[in-house]
Amino acid sequence: MKIGIFDSGLGGLVILKSVTKLLPQYSYVYLGDTLNLPYGKKSQAEIYNLTKKAVAFLFKHDCKLVIIACNTASAAALRKLQKGWLPKMYPDRRILGVIVPVVEVVSTERIGVIATKATVLTKTYIKEIKKLNSSAKVFQVAASDLVPLIEANNFKAANEALKKYLTPLINKHVSSLILGCTHYPLLKNEVRRLVGKNVKIISQDQIIPLKLQSYLNKHAEFKDTLLKNHKTEFYVTKLGSSLKIISKSLFGTTIEFKRVNVN
Ligand code: DGL
């Protein structure tokens, strides 16, 4: 069995890269739903349906565990999938999200979150942070333009837009900043430059691999089923010119993506 990593686009490759760096021995399947991106501008019902189909695709490709690397899908669909669909359809598999693992490492009181509009609207980050620290002050900004600009490989415009999104959080004197979207770690250097050195930047690529490792160590029933052949398969629902550029800049080599229809 394999480990699936799902994102609405290419941002999840950042998570895949960090996970495979820490746990290179396993076999991975990556799926980016580039045809339906951006999820961040869709309704919760649409995100749920798309995420369900994507996770089902990964289960059919022998994934024992699926990490929903996409924050928007984690916020809008994860709980519902875990409670209703998964136990009925795939009781021996697991779906893991990225929001709770991130919230668990935040230790300061004034917390900024940048995320997609859909993630912000669910208030999932606020709810999960308050469960652990009821006195925390959480400030959210919907950074709607960033994902389309990053997917188009237009980092110049993305960095310019970032300033507009971070300014309200800087003005609120946040002490931690959660990059609440798969794509934002790609802007980390510019984020650091804008927020200064005293703000703790919480980036999922540094958290998810360790959380996965500890999950597997606690769940031998999953770990023991995992194939160890150091391989990754890459699937997208739409091919585009950014695939080569972004994957080459991340992995240093050209990756062959297969186009699939998950519907
Ligand atoms: N991957 C999504 C996330 O982490 C954002 C991209 C999108 O809007 O589809 O929130």
Side-chain angles (χ1 to χ4, degrees), residues 4-16 19 30-31 51 55 58 66-75 78 95-99 102 125 179-183 204 208:
I5 298 193
F6 166 60
D7 186 36
S8 57
L10 303 180
L13 292 171
V14 180
I15 302 293
L16 174 77
V19 166
Y30 183 84
L31 174 64
T51 305
V55 174
L58 290 167
V66 170
I67 300 173
I68 298 186
C70 179
N71 288 253
T72 309
S74 288
L78 177 67
I95 311 174
L96 310 175
V98 287
I99 295 183
V102 164
Y125 269 105
L179 305 183
C181 173
T182 44
H183 294 59
Q204 290 163 344
I208 301 305

PDB file of all heavy atoms in Angstrom, residues 4-16 19 30-31 51 55 58 66-75 78 95-99 102 125 179-183 204 208:
ATOM      1  N   GLY A   4      -1.019   8.572  -0.135  1.00  0.00           N
ATOM      2  CA  GLY A   4      -1.520   9.536  -1.112  1.00  0.00           C
ATOM      3  C   GLY A   4      -1.381  10.952  -0.591  1.00  0.00           C
ATOM      4  O   GLY A   4      -1.558  11.199   0.603  1.00  0.00           O
ATOM      5  N   ILE A   5      -1.039  11.853  -1.486  1.00  0.00           N
ATOM      6  CA  ILE A   5      -0.999  13.276  -1.117  1.00  0.00           C
ATOM      7  C   ILE A   5      -1.846  14.023  -2.128  1.00  0.00           C
ATOM      8  O   ILE A   5      -1.600  13.966  -3.338  1.00  0.00           O
ATOM      9  CB  ILE A   5       0.443  13.816  -1.074  1.00  0.00           C
ATOM     10  CG1 ILE A   5       1.206  13.040   0.009  1.00  0.00           C
ATOM     11  CG2 ILE A   5       0.452  15.328  -0.802  1.00  0.00           C
ATOM     12  CD1 ILE A   5       2.525  13.598   0.423  1.00  0.00           C
ATOM     13  N   PHE A   6      -2.853  14.702  -1.616  1.00  0.00           N
ATOM     14  CA  PHE A   6      -3.786  15.397  -2.497  1.00  0.00           C
ATOM     15  C   PHE A   6      -3.709  16.913  -2.282  1.00  0.00           C
ATOM     16  O   PHE A   6      -3.678  17.398  -1.164  1.00  0.00           O
ATOM     17  CB  PHE A   6      -5.223  14.925  -2.217  1.00  0.00           C
ATOM     18  CG  PHE A   6      -6.257  15.821  -2.833  1.00  0.00           C
ATOM     19  CD1 PHE A   6      -6.288  16.014  -4.211  1.00  0.00           C
ATOM     20  CD2 PHE A   6      -7.169  16.514  -2.049  1.00  0.00           C
ATOM     21  CE1 PHE A   6      -7.207  16.886  -4.789  1.00  0.00           C
ATOM     22  CE2 PHE A   6      -8.094  17.376  -2.620  1.00  0.00           C
ATOM     23  CZ  PHE A   6      -8.114  17.558  -3.986  1.00  0.00           C
ATOM     24  N   ASP A   7      -3.685  17.615  -3.397  1.00  0.00           N
ATOM     25  CA  ASP A   7      -3.822  19.075  -3.339  1.00  0.00           C
ATOM     26  C   ASP A   7      -4.696  19.510  -4.514  1.00  0.00           C
ATOM     27  O   ASP A   7      -4.843  18.780  -5.505  1.00  0.00           O
ATOM     28  CB  ASP A   7      -2.452  19.760  -3.422  1.00  0.00           C
ATOM     29  CG  ASP A   7      -2.582  21.273  -3.214  1.00  0.00           C
ATOM     30  OD1 ASP A   7      -3.434  21.693  -2.410  1.00  0.00           O
ATOM     31  OD2 ASP A   7      -1.861  22.037  -3.885  1.00  0.00           O
ATOM     32  N   SER A   8      -5.239  20.719  -4.383  1.00  0.00           N
ATOM     33  CA  SER A   8      -6.017  21.244  -5.497  1.00  0.00           C
ATOM     34  C   SER A   8      -5.102  21.592  -6.677  1.00  0.00           C
ATOM     35  O   SER A   8      -5.582  21.767  -7.786  1.00  0.00           O
ATOM     36  CB  SER A   8      -6.781  22.488  -5.043  1.00  0.00           C
ATOM     37  OG  SER A   8      -5.858  23.430  -4.534  1.00  0.00           O
ATOM     38  N   GLY A   9      -3.820  21.708  -6.427  1.00  0.00           N
ATOM     39  CA  GLY A   9      -2.928  22.095  -7.526  1.00  0.00           C
ATOM     40  C   GLY A   9      -1.514  21.606  -7.283  1.00  0.00           C
ATOM     41  O   GLY A   9      -1.298  20.459  -6.892  1.00  0.00           O
ATOM     42  N   LEU A  10      -0.572  22.524  -7.478  1.00  0.00           N
ATOM     43  CA  LEU A  10       0.836  22.152  -7.399  1.00  0.00           C
ATOM     44  C   LEU A  10       1.475  22.470  -6.054  1.00  0.00           C
ATOM     45  O   LEU A  10       2.573  22.013  -5.760  1.00  0.00           O
ATOM     46  CB  LEU A  10       1.622  22.875  -8.498  1.00  0.00           C
ATOM     47  CG  LEU A  10       1.118  22.604  -9.914  1.00  0.00           C
ATOM     48  CD1 LEU A  10       1.958  23.361 -10.934  1.00  0.00           C
ATOM     49  CD2 LEU A  10       1.160  21.110 -10.196  1.00  0.00           C
ATOM     50  N   GLY A  11       0.796  23.271  -5.241  1.00  0.00           N
ATOM     51  CA  GLY A  11       1.361  23.661  -3.942  1.00  0.00           C
ATOM     52  C   GLY A  11       1.665  22.456  -3.066  1.00  0.00           C
ATOM     53  O   GLY A  11       2.639  22.454  -2.309  1.00  0.00           O
ATOM     54  N   GLY A  12       0.848  21.415  -3.195  1.00  0.00           N
ATOM     55  CA  GLY A  12       1.053  20.216  -2.387  1.00  0.00           C
ATOM     56  C   GLY A  12       2.377  19.529  -2.681  1.00  0.00           C
ATOM     57  O   GLY A  12       2.841  18.703  -1.898  1.00  0.00           O
ATOM     58  N   LEU A  13       3.009  19.891  -3.804  1.00  0.00           N
ATOM     59  CA  LEU A  13       4.324  19.315  -4.107  1.00  0.00           C
ATOM     60  C   LEU A  13       5.347  19.731  -3.050  1.00  0.00           C
ATOM     61  O   LEU A  13       6.319  19.017  -2.803  1.00  0.00           O
ATOM     62  CB  LEU A  13       4.807  19.768  -5.493  1.00  0.00           C
ATOM     63  CG  LEU A  13       4.019  19.216  -6.691  1.00  0.00           C
ATOM     64  CD1 LEU A  13       4.468  19.908  -7.975  1.00  0.00           C
ATOM     65  CD2 LEU A  13       4.191  17.706  -6.820  1.00  0.00           C
ATOM     66  N   VAL A  14       5.115  20.889  -2.434  1.00  0.00           N
ATOM     67  CA  VAL A  14       6.015  21.353  -1.372  1.00  0.00           C
ATOM     68  C   VAL A  14       5.924  20.389  -0.184  1.00  0.00           C
ATOM     69  O   VAL A  14       6.926  20.020   0.430  1.00  0.00           O
ATOM     70  CB  VAL A  14       5.632  22.782  -0.914  1.00  0.00           C
ATOM     71  CG1 VAL A  14       6.550  23.277   0.180  1.00  0.00           C
ATOM     72  CG2 VAL A  14       5.611  23.742  -2.080  1.00  0.00           C
ATOM     73  N   ILE A  15       4.688  19.961   0.102  1.00  0.00           N
ATOM     74  CA  ILE A  15       4.484  19.008   1.206  1.00  0.00           C
ATOM     75  C   ILE A  15       5.057  17.642   0.806  1.00  0.00           C
ATOM     76  O   ILE A  15       5.751  16.998   1.597  1.00  0.00           O
ATOM     77  CB  ILE A  15       2.966  18.876   1.524  1.00  0.00           C
ATOM     78  CG1 ILE A  15       2.356  20.244   1.877  1.00  0.00           C
ATOM     79  CG2 ILE A  15       2.716  17.855   2.636  1.00  0.00           C
ATOM     80  CD1 ILE A  15       2.845  20.860   3.153  1.00  0.00           C
ATOM     81  N   LEU A  16       4.780  17.235  -0.414  1.00  0.00           N
ATOM     82  CA  LEU A  16       5.321  15.952  -0.887  1.00  0.00           C
ATOM     83  C   LEU A  16       6.845  15.936  -0.767  1.00  0.00           C
ATOM     84  O   LEU A  16       7.440  14.980  -0.280  1.00  0.00           O
ATOM     85  CB  LEU A  16       4.921  15.714  -2.350  1.00  0.00           C
ATOM     86  CG  LEU A  16       5.548  14.475  -2.972  1.00  0.00           C
ATOM     87  CD1 LEU A  16       4.851  13.206  -2.500  1.00  0.00           C
ATOM     88  CD2 LEU A  16       5.532  14.548  -4.486  1.00  0.00           C
ATOM     89  N   VAL A  19       7.860  15.613   2.863  1.00  0.00           N
ATOM     90  CA  VAL A  19       7.506  14.298   3.407  1.00  0.00           C
ATOM     91  C   VAL A  19       8.472  13.234   2.857  1.00  0.00           C
ATOM     92  O   VAL A  19       8.989  12.399   3.602  1.00  0.00           O
ATOM     93  CB  VAL A  19       6.037  13.941   3.062  1.00  0.00           C
ATOM     94  CG1 VAL A  19       5.757  12.468   3.322  1.00  0.00           C
ATOM     95  CG2 VAL A  19       5.069  14.794   3.877  1.00  0.00           C
ATOM     96  N   TYR A  30       0.845  11.241  -5.830  1.00  0.00           N
ATOM     97  CA  TYR A  30       0.455  12.652  -5.730  1.00  0.00           C
ATOM     98  C   TYR A  30      -0.671  12.927  -6.716  1.00  0.00           C
ATOM     99  O   TYR A  30      -0.608  12.524  -7.884  1.00  0.00           O
ATOM    100  CB  TYR A  30       1.651  13.554  -6.077  1.00  0.00           C
ATOM    101  CG  TYR A  30       1.320  15.027  -5.914  1.00  0.00           C
ATOM    102  CD1 TYR A  30       1.414  15.632  -4.670  1.00  0.00           C
ATOM    103  CD2 TYR A  30       0.877  15.798  -6.991  1.00  0.00           C
ATOM    104  CE1 TYR A  30       1.083  16.971  -4.494  1.00  0.00           C
ATOM    105  CE2 TYR A  30       0.543  17.129  -6.823  1.00  0.00           C
ATOM    106  CZ  TYR A  30       0.651  17.709  -5.567  1.00  0.00           C
ATOM    107  OH  TYR A  30       0.325  19.027  -5.395  1.00  0.00           O
ATOM    108  N   LEU A  31      -1.696  13.629  -6.234  1.00  0.00           N
ATOM    109  CA  LEU A  31      -2.756  14.068  -7.143  1.00  0.00           C
ATOM    110  C   LEU A  31      -3.009  15.563  -6.952  1.00  0.00           C
ATOM    111  O   LEU A  31      -3.298  16.017  -5.847  1.00  0.00           O
ATOM    112  CB  LEU A  31      -4.062  13.298  -6.870  1.00  0.00           C
ATOM    113  CG  LEU A  31      -5.278  13.781  -7.669  1.00  0.00           C
ATOM    114  CD1 LEU A  31      -5.097  13.582  -9.171  1.00  0.00           C
ATOM    115  CD2 LEU A  31      -6.559  13.065  -7.207  1.00  0.00           C
ATOM    116  N   THR A  51     -13.217  16.951  -3.374  1.00  0.00           N
ATOM    117  CA  THR A  51     -12.250  16.286  -2.483  1.00  0.00           C
ATOM    118  C   THR A  51     -12.589  14.807  -2.350  1.00  0.00           C
ATOM    119  O   THR A  51     -11.697  13.942  -2.378  1.00  0.00           O
ATOM    120  CB  THR A  51     -12.251  16.980  -1.101  1.00  0.00           C
ATOM    121  OG1 THR A  51     -12.002  18.369  -1.296  1.00  0.00           O
ATOM    122  CG2 THR A  51     -11.183  16.410  -0.188  1.00  0.00           C
ATOM    123  N   VAL A  55      -9.984  11.855  -3.245  1.00  0.00           N
ATOM    124  CA  VAL A  55      -9.532  10.870  -2.245  1.00  0.00           C
ATOM    125  C   VAL A  55      -9.896   9.457  -2.720  1.00  0.00           C
ATOM    126  O   VAL A  55      -9.095   8.527  -2.587  1.00  0.00           O
ATOM    127  CB  VAL A  55     -10.137  11.189  -0.856  1.00  0.00           C
ATOM    128  CG1 VAL A  55      -9.795  10.097   0.147  1.00  0.00           C
ATOM    129  CG2 VAL A  55      -9.616  12.536  -0.347  1.00  0.00           C
ATOM    130  N   LEU A  58      -7.350   8.239  -5.084  1.00  0.00           N
ATOM    131  CA  LEU A  58      -6.108   7.803  -4.420  1.00  0.00           C
ATOM    132  C   LEU A  58      -6.301   6.454  -3.725  1.00  0.00           C
ATOM    133  O   LEU A  58      -5.411   5.602  -3.747  1.00  0.00           O
ATOM    134  CB  LEU A  58      -5.632   8.883  -3.440  1.00  0.00           C
ATOM    135  CG  LEU A  58      -5.108  10.148  -4.137  1.00  0.00           C
ATOM    136  CD1 LEU A  58      -4.949  11.299  -3.150  1.00  0.00           C
ATOM    137  CD2 LEU A  58      -3.767   9.865  -4.823  1.00  0.00           C
ATOM    138  N   VAL A  66      -4.365   8.861   3.075  1.00  0.00           N
ATOM    139  CA  VAL A  66      -4.305  10.031   2.193  1.00  0.00           C
ATOM    140  C   VAL A  66      -4.132  11.276   3.052  1.00  0.00           C
ATOM    141  O   VAL A  66      -4.884  11.492   4.010  1.00  0.00           O
ATOM    142  CB  VAL A  66      -5.583  10.155   1.334  1.00  0.00           C
ATOM    143  CG1 VAL A  66      -5.620  11.502   0.621  1.00  0.00           C
ATOM    144  CG2 VAL A  66      -5.654   9.028   0.307  1.00  0.00           C
ATOM    145  N   ILE A  67      -3.133  12.063   2.712  1.00  0.00           N
ATOM    146  CA  ILE A  67      -2.970  13.363   3.366  1.00  0.00           C
ATOM    147  C   ILE A  67      -3.631  14.399   2.473  1.00  0.00           C
ATOM    148  O   ILE A  67      -3.249  14.558   1.309  1.00  0.00           O
ATOM    149  CB  ILE A  67      -1.482  13.733   3.537  1.00  0.00           C
ATOM    150  CG1 ILE A  67      -0.773  12.690   4.384  1.00  0.00           C
ATOM    151  CG2 ILE A  67      -1.340  15.123   4.156  1.00  0.00           C
ATOM    152  CD1 ILE A  67       0.727  12.895   4.458  1.00  0.00           C
ATOM    153  N   ILE A  68      -4.631  15.075   3.016  1.00  0.00           N
ATOM    154  CA  ILE A  68      -5.209  16.192   2.264  1.00  0.00           C
ATOM    155  C   ILE A  68      -4.320  17.395   2.565  1.00  0.00           C
ATOM    156  O   ILE A  68      -4.448  18.044   3.599  1.00  0.00           O
ATOM    157  CB  ILE A  68      -6.672  16.454   2.668  1.00  0.00           C
ATOM    158  CG1 ILE A  68      -7.535  15.223   2.340  1.00  0.00           C
ATOM    159  CG2 ILE A  68      -7.208  17.691   1.965  1.00  0.00           C
ATOM    160  CD1 ILE A  68      -9.029  15.412   2.551  1.00  0.00           C
ATOM    161  N   ALA A  69      -3.358  17.632   1.673  1.00  0.00           N
ATOM    162  CA  ALA A  69      -2.397  18.717   1.887  1.00  0.00           C
ATOM    163  C   ALA A  69      -3.058  20.075   1.695  1.00  0.00           C
ATOM    164  O   ALA A  69      -2.584  21.085   2.198  1.00  0.00           O
ATOM    165  CB  ALA A  69      -1.226  18.564   0.928  1.00  0.00           C
ATOM    166  N   CYS A  70      -4.158  20.076   0.966  1.00  0.00           N
ATOM    167  CA  CYS A  70      -4.861  21.331   0.669  1.00  0.00           C
ATOM    168  C   CYS A  70      -5.620  21.817   1.902  1.00  0.00           C
ATOM    169  O   CYS A  70      -6.491  21.112   2.420  1.00  0.00           O
ATOM    170  CB  CYS A  70      -5.841  21.064  -0.480  1.00  0.00           C
ATOM    171  SG  CYS A  70      -6.805  22.492  -0.939  1.00  0.00           S
ATOM    172  N   ASN A  71      -5.286  23.012   2.361  1.00  0.00           N
ATOM    173  CA  ASN A  71      -5.953  23.577   3.540  1.00  0.00           C
ATOM    174  C   ASN A  71      -7.435  23.807   3.282  1.00  0.00           C
ATOM    175  O   ASN A  71      -8.273  23.601   4.149  1.00  0.00           O
ATOM    176  CB  ASN A  71      -5.325  24.921   3.909  1.00  0.00           C
ATOM    177  CG  ASN A  71      -3.957  24.769   4.504  1.00  0.00           C
ATOM    178  OD1 ASN A  71      -3.768  24.949   5.691  1.00  0.00           O
ATOM    179  ND2 ASN A  71      -2.974  24.404   3.696  1.00  0.00           N
ATOM    180  N   THR A  72      -7.735  24.260   2.072  1.00  0.00           N
ATOM    181  CA  THR A  72      -9.122  24.567   1.733  1.00  0.00           C
ATOM    182  C   THR A  72      -9.965  23.295   1.814  1.00  0.00           C
ATOM    183  O   THR A  72     -11.053  23.287   2.386  1.00  0.00           O
ATOM    184  CB  THR A  72      -9.188  25.177   0.317  1.00  0.00           C
ATOM    185  OG1 THR A  72      -8.233  26.248   0.249  1.00  0.00           O
ATOM    186  CG2 THR A  72     -10.561  25.707   0.004  1.00  0.00           C
ATOM    187  N   ALA A  73      -9.442  22.201   1.272  1.00  0.00           N
ATOM    188  CA  ALA A  73     -10.155  20.924   1.332  1.00  0.00           C
ATOM    189  C   ALA A  73     -10.174  20.387   2.761  1.00  0.00           C
ATOM    190  O   ALA A  73     -11.173  19.811   3.199  1.00  0.00           O
ATOM    191  CB  ALA A  73      -9.500  19.919   0.382  1.00  0.00           C
ATOM    192  N   SER A  74      -9.087  20.577   3.497  1.00  0.00           N
ATOM    193  CA  SER A  74      -9.064  20.146   4.902  1.00  0.00           C
ATOM    194  C   SER A  74     -10.130  20.905   5.689  1.00  0.00           C
ATOM    195  O   SER A  74     -10.851  20.325   6.497  1.00  0.00           O
ATOM    196  CB  SER A  74      -7.702  20.421   5.548  1.00  0.00           C
ATOM    197  OG  SER A  74      -6.729  19.537   5.064  1.00  0.00           O
ATOM    198  N   ALA A  75     -10.226  22.211   5.433  1.00  0.00           N
ATOM    199  CA  ALA A  75     -11.174  23.037   6.189  1.00  0.00           C
ATOM    200  C   ALA A  75     -12.617  22.733   5.814  1.00  0.00           C
ATOM    201  O   ALA A  75     -13.497  22.682   6.664  1.00  0.00           O
ATOM    202  CB  ALA A  75     -10.869  24.523   5.949  1.00  0.00           C
ATOM    203  N   LEU A  78     -12.769  17.758   5.230  1.00  0.00           N
ATOM    204  CA  LEU A  78     -12.137  16.646   5.968  1.00  0.00           C
ATOM    205  C   LEU A  78     -13.053  16.001   7.014  1.00  0.00           C
ATOM    206  O   LEU A  78     -13.265  14.795   7.014  1.00  0.00           O
ATOM    207  CB  LEU A  78     -10.837  17.127   6.622  1.00  0.00           C
ATOM    208  CG  LEU A  78     -10.125  16.074   7.471  1.00  0.00           C
ATOM    209  CD1 LEU A  78      -9.589  14.935   6.607  1.00  0.00           C
ATOM    210  CD2 LEU A  78      -8.969  16.699   8.259  1.00  0.00           C
ATOM    211  N   ILE A  95      -7.811   9.237   6.354  1.00  0.00           N
ATOM    212  CA  ILE A  95      -7.579  10.532   5.694  1.00  0.00           C
ATOM    213  C   ILE A  95      -7.052  11.481   6.773  1.00  0.00           C
ATOM    214  O   ILE A  95      -7.677  11.624   7.831  1.00  0.00           O
ATOM    215  CB  ILE A  95      -8.884  11.139   5.123  1.00  0.00           C
ATOM    216  CG1 ILE A  95      -9.664  10.123   4.287  1.00  0.00           C
ATOM    217  CG2 ILE A  95      -8.563  12.375   4.289  1.00  0.00           C
ATOM    218  CD1 ILE A  95     -11.032  10.650   3.823  1.00  0.00           C
ATOM    219  N   LEU A  96      -5.920  12.100   6.498  1.00  0.00           N
ATOM    220  CA  LEU A  96      -5.332  13.036   7.461  1.00  0.00           C
ATOM    221  C   LEU A  96      -5.332  14.435   6.851  1.00  0.00           C
ATOM    222  O   LEU A  96      -5.056  14.592   5.661  1.00  0.00           O
ATOM    223  CB  LEU A  96      -3.894  12.624   7.793  1.00  0.00           C
ATOM    224  CG  LEU A  96      -3.663  11.154   8.193  1.00  0.00           C
ATOM    225  CD1 LEU A  96      -2.175  10.874   8.362  1.00  0.00           C
ATOM    226  CD2 LEU A  96      -4.407  10.823   9.482  1.00  0.00           C
ATOM    227  N   GLY A  97      -5.613  15.431   7.674  1.00  0.00           N
ATOM    228  CA  GLY A  97      -5.614  16.818   7.186  1.00  0.00           C
ATOM    229  C   GLY A  97      -4.381  17.565   7.653  1.00  0.00           C
ATOM    230  O   GLY A  97      -3.479  16.985   8.268  1.00  0.00           O
ATOM    231  N   VAL A  98      -4.337  18.860   7.362  1.00  0.00           N
ATOM    232  CA  VAL A  98      -3.136  19.631   7.706  1.00  0.00           C
ATOM    233  C   VAL A  98      -3.401  20.749   8.717  1.00  0.00           C
ATOM    234  O   VAL A  98      -2.455  21.386   9.176  1.00  0.00           O
ATOM    235  CB  VAL A  98      -2.478  20.248   6.450  1.00  0.00           C
ATOM    236  CG1 VAL A  98      -1.776  19.195   5.621  1.00  0.00           C
ATOM    237  CG2 VAL A  98      -3.471  21.018   5.595  1.00  0.00           C
ATOM    238  N   ILE A  99      -4.647  20.968   9.077  1.00  0.00           N
ATOM    239  CA  ILE A  99      -4.916  22.129   9.931  1.00  0.00           C
ATOM    240  C   ILE A  99      -4.632  21.840  11.407  1.00  0.00           C
ATOM    241  O   ILE A  99      -3.886  22.587  12.051  1.00  0.00           O
ATOM    242  CB  ILE A  99      -6.351  22.650   9.696  1.00  0.00           C
ATOM    243  CG1 ILE A  99      -6.431  23.176   8.258  1.00  0.00           C
ATOM    244  CG2 ILE A  99      -6.729  23.728  10.721  1.00  0.00           C
ATOM    245  CD1 ILE A  99      -7.734  23.794   7.843  1.00  0.00           C
ATOM    246  N   VAL A 102      -0.984  21.690  12.418  1.00  0.00           N
ATOM    247  CA  VAL A 102      -0.340  23.016  12.416  1.00  0.00           C
ATOM    248  C   VAL A 102      -0.720  23.789  13.670  1.00  0.00           C
ATOM    249  O   VAL A 102       0.127  24.376  14.352  1.00  0.00           O
ATOM    250  CB  VAL A 102      -0.775  23.781  11.146  1.00  0.00           C
ATOM    251  CG1 VAL A 102      -0.489  25.254  11.263  1.00  0.00           C
ATOM    252  CG2 VAL A 102      -0.060  23.207   9.948  1.00  0.00           C
ATOM    253  N   TYR A 125      -9.561  27.456  11.218  1.00  0.00           N
ATOM    254  CA  TYR A 125      -8.348  27.788  11.987  1.00  0.00           C
ATOM    255  C   TYR A 125      -8.719  28.408  13.331  1.00  0.00           C
ATOM    256  O   TYR A 125      -8.160  28.049  14.371  1.00  0.00           O
ATOM    257  CB  TYR A 125      -7.427  28.732  11.184  1.00  0.00           C
ATOM    258  CG  TYR A 125      -6.419  27.968  10.364  1.00  0.00           C
ATOM    259  CD1 TYR A 125      -6.561  27.847   8.987  1.00  0.00           C
ATOM    260  CD2 TYR A 125      -5.343  27.328  10.961  1.00  0.00           C
ATOM    261  CE1 TYR A 125      -5.649  27.116   8.237  1.00  0.00           C
ATOM    262  CE2 TYR A 125      -4.422  26.603  10.220  1.00  0.00           C
ATOM    263  CZ  TYR A 125      -4.577  26.505   8.864  1.00  0.00           C
ATOM    264  OH  TYR A 125      -3.665  25.774   8.138  1.00  0.00           O
ATOM    265  N   LEU A 179       1.016  30.058   7.620  1.00  0.00           N
ATOM    266  CA  LEU A 179       0.851  30.050   6.161  1.00  0.00           C
ATOM    267  C   LEU A 179      -0.179  28.958   5.873  1.00  0.00           C
ATOM    268  O   LEU A 179       0.161  27.779   5.745  1.00  0.00           O
ATOM    269  CB  LEU A 179       2.181  29.759   5.467  1.00  0.00           C
ATOM    270  CG  LEU A 179       3.354  30.682   5.842  1.00  0.00           C
ATOM    271  CD1 LEU A 179       4.597  30.323   5.020  1.00  0.00           C
ATOM    272  CD2 LEU A 179       2.990  32.146   5.645  1.00  0.00           C
ATOM    273  N   GLY A 180      -1.459  29.359   5.832  1.00  0.00           N
ATOM    274  CA  GLY A 180      -2.546  28.385   5.807  1.00  0.00           C
ATOM    275  C   GLY A 180      -2.969  27.938   4.425  1.00  0.00           C
ATOM    276  O   GLY A 180      -4.158  27.830   4.132  1.00  0.00           O
ATOM    277  N   CYS A 181      -1.988  27.677   3.583  1.00  0.00           N
ATOM    278  CA  CYS A 181      -2.272  27.212   2.222  1.00  0.00           C
ATOM    279  C   CYS A 181      -1.020  26.521   1.698  1.00  0.00           C
ATOM    280  O   CYS A 181       0.100  27.000   1.943  1.00  0.00           O
ATOM    281  CB  CYS A 181      -2.626  28.416   1.342  1.00  0.00           C
ATOM    282  SG  CYS A 181      -2.793  28.009  -0.396  1.00  0.00           S
ATOM    283  N   THR A 182      -1.221  25.438   0.978  1.00  0.00           N
ATOM    284  CA  THR A 182      -0.082  24.665   0.467  1.00  0.00           C
ATOM    285  C   THR A 182       0.914  25.497  -0.331  1.00  0.00           C
ATOM    286  O   THR A 182       2.101  25.209  -0.350  1.00  0.00           O
ATOM    287  CB  THR A 182      -0.571  23.560  -0.500  1.00  0.00           C
ATOM    288  OG1 THR A 182      -1.556  24.124  -1.363  1.00  0.00           O
ATOM    289  CG2 THR A 182      -1.105  22.372   0.236  1.00  0.00           C
ATOM    290  N   HIS A 183       0.383  26.497  -1.030  1.00  0.00           N
ATOM    291  CA  HIS A 183       1.231  27.244  -1.956  1.00  0.00           C
ATOM    292  C   HIS A 183       2.132  28.282  -1.278  1.00  0.00           C
ATOM    293  O   HIS A 183       3.142  28.679  -1.839  1.00  0.00           O
ATOM    294  CB  HIS A 183       0.359  27.968  -2.981  1.00  0.00           C
ATOM    295  CG  HIS A 183      -0.386  27.052  -3.901  1.00  0.00           C
ATOM    296  ND1 HIS A 183      -1.277  26.111  -3.456  1.00  0.00           N
ATOM    297  CD2 HIS A 183      -0.347  26.940  -5.254  1.00  0.00           C
ATOM    298  CE1 HIS A 183      -1.778  25.459  -4.500  1.00  0.00           C
ATOM    299  NE2 HIS A 183      -1.227  25.948  -5.604  1.00  0.00           N
ATOM    300  N   GLN A 204       3.741  24.612   6.815  1.00  0.00           N
ATOM    301  CA  GLN A 204       3.340  23.201   6.900  1.00  0.00           C
ATOM    302  C   GLN A 204       4.404  22.220   6.425  1.00  0.00           C
ATOM    303  O   GLN A 204       4.433  21.082   6.870  1.00  0.00           O
ATOM    304  CB  GLN A 204       2.030  23.010   6.133  1.00  0.00           C
ATOM    305  CG  GLN A 204       0.909  23.681   6.887  1.00  0.00           C
ATOM    306  CD  GLN A 204      -0.344  23.919   6.081  1.00  0.00           C
ATOM    307  OE1 GLN A 204      -0.321  23.852   4.860  1.00  0.00           O
ATOM    308  NE2 GLN A 204      -1.430  24.204   6.768  1.00  0.00           N
ATOM    309  N   ILE A 208       4.244  18.802   8.737  1.00  0.00           N
ATOM    310  CA  ILE A 208       3.505  17.604   8.302  1.00  0.00           C
ATOM    311  C   ILE A 208       4.383  16.340   8.252  1.00  0.00           C
ATOM    312  O   ILE A 208       3.953  15.271   8.699  1.00  0.00           O
ATOM    313  CB  ILE A 208       2.784  17.862   6.950  1.00  0.00           C
ATOM    314  CG1 ILE A 208       1.799  19.045   7.097  1.00  0.00           C
ATOM    315  CG2 ILE A 208       2.065  16.623   6.434  1.00  0.00           C
ATOM    316  CD1 ILE A 208       0.777  18.904   8.226  1.00  0.00           C
TER     317      ILE A 208
END
